[in-house]
Amino acid sequence: MTAHAKNIQPLLLAENRDENGEISPIRPENQKILNYFEHALDIEFDIRRYPLPRVIENIGKGEGLGFGLSKNTERLKTMRYSEPVFSDFVWVVARDDSKMQYAGIKDLKDKSVGIVRGIRFGDDIDSKRNILFRVEEDQPQISSRLKKLLSGRMDVMLFNSRMSNAKDVEAELNQYLSDKNIRTEIQTSFGIKVFSKPFLIDDIHFTSGLETRRDIIEKINAAIVKGRKSGDLPALWKSDR
């Protein structure tokens, strides 16, 4: 009897780096979701970490599946998307002495907004970049954006989180500031605040090249439908909030 051959699928993920420049591990809540799909599809992911622009380019060329990407018109020219797997909350973060108020995107008028280089949030918001607000594209390390925010080099920064409560996110980021000790001596009295209204709720998908892996995307969609009906998928991220 021949052994069951593993179906190995390359999976391209954007690399995040810590303050030392090392690639950060996959977030535990995301690893749970990847494990779910490996089991549901009887496949094994060959994880490949690249900077986000290279992830997008290589998926379009057919190197493998992608995970963690939101949609916009430009990406749809080269990539096929699954149904949404889950949604991230994108929060607006300011230094805690900021006087600005935030209730919607219009409140970012003429503000400098720190965003990870290569991140996109859909056509409507993309059309306002460097028109309504100024974009400060930055490295994926959260410490880089926090340092610039604390030093006044940007008015606000955007931060993706699975958590749906602004106060929980605020506590997490202030704890991060304390744990990593990234404030300068003159910044020790500053913390950060997270505005109560999310910038947006961002649907996250699996992707493939337009001409590749259609069958895998269809199987992923079937697993998403099944996981929603059974409650297995929602349970994976609700337990992390």
Side-chain angles (χ1 to χ4, degrees):
M1 180 181 291
T2 58
H4 175 65
K6 288 184 178 179
N7 181 356
I8 298 176
Q9 292 290 330
L11 182 69
L12 283 56
L13 302 178
E15 61 185 34
N16 292 311
R17 293 182 180 270
D18 62 22
E19 56 275 11
N20 297 317
E22 300 295 326
I23 296 178
S24 302
I26 298 169
R27 285 159 49 180
E29 62 268 33
N30 283 345
Q31 187 62 61
K32 289 181 183 179
I33 289 172
L34 297 182
N35 293 345
Y36 170 86
F37 283 98
E38 284 185 316
H39 178 74
L41 277 63
D42 192 23
I43 63 176
E44 181 178 328
F45 290 130
D46 170 20
I47 304 295
R48 304 177 185 181
R49 308 287 297 275
Y50 302 125
L52 180 58
R54 187 176 168 196
V55 167
I56 294 165
E57 179 183 0
N58 288 13
I59 292 169
K61 291 178 177 178
E63 178 180 332
L65 295 166
F67 177 70
L69 298 177
S70 52
K71 282 185 183 179
N72 67 11
T73 298
E74 190 63 28
R75 292 177 181 176
L76 285 167
K77 293 176 183 177
T78 60
M79 290 190 286
R80 181 188 315 281
Y81 280 75
S82 73
E83 293 296 314
V85 180
F86 62 86
S87 297
D88 262 351
F89 292 82
V90 183
W91 297 100
V92 179
V93 182
R95 204 167 74 174
D96 61 3
D97 64 337
S98 171
K99 304 299 184 187
M100 75 169 280
Q101 301 294 315
Y102 179 79
I105 193 169
K106 291 181 180 178
D107 293 324
L108 296 181
K109 181 176 172 59
D110 298 328
K111 303 295 186 193
S112 57
V113 180
I115 298 175
V116 174
R117 184 171 290 111
I119 289 286
R120 296 291 183 269
F121 295 116
D123 294 342
D124 182 52
I125 291 171
D126 286 352
S127 69
K128 296 177 174 63
R129 292 167 63 104
N130 296 318
I131 296 175
L132 177 68
F133 56 87
R134 301 190 308 279
V135 171
E136 296 287 340
E137 287 201 307
D138 203 2
Q139 301 301 318
Q141 299 98 307
I142 185 176
S143 58
S144 177
R145 279 170 291 149
L146 284 170
K147 287 175 182 177
K148 291 178 181 178
L149 187 69
L150 290 171
S151 67
R153 293 170 61 190
M154 56 180 63
D155 295 309
V156 298
M157 57 173 267
L158 299 184
F159 178 69
N160 284 52
S161 175
R162 198 70 48 79
M163 291 189 287
S164 59
N165 183 282
K167 289 299 180 185
D168 291 341
V169 179
E170 186 173 287
E172 178 184 74
L173 289 176
N174 278 306
Q175 187 64 50
Y176 179 92
L177 283 176
S178 297
D179 291 346
K180 299 300 182 182
N181 194 29
I182 63 176
R183 296 181 181 95
T184 66
E185 189 172 332
I186 61 173
Q187 294 170 356
T188 53
S189 61
F190 294 133
I192 61 90
K193 63 182 177 182
V194 177
F195 292 104
S196 60
K197 182 180 176 63
F199 180 67
L200 82 158
I201 299 173
D202 191 28
D203 288 337
I204 302 300
H205 310 256
F206 281 93
T207 54
S208 69
L210 278 181
E211 307 302 326
T212 62
R213 295 176 173 81
R214 178 195 292 267
D215 59 329
I216 299 294
I217 294 294
E218 289 175 350
K219 290 177 181 177
I220 287 171
N221 285 339
I224 291 170
V225 171
K226 183 177 180 180
R228 285 176 184 161
K229 286 182 177 179
S230 68
D232 290 344
L233 258 182
L236 291 178
W237 58 83
K238 283 183 179 177
S239 63
D240 289 293
R241 287 185 183 174

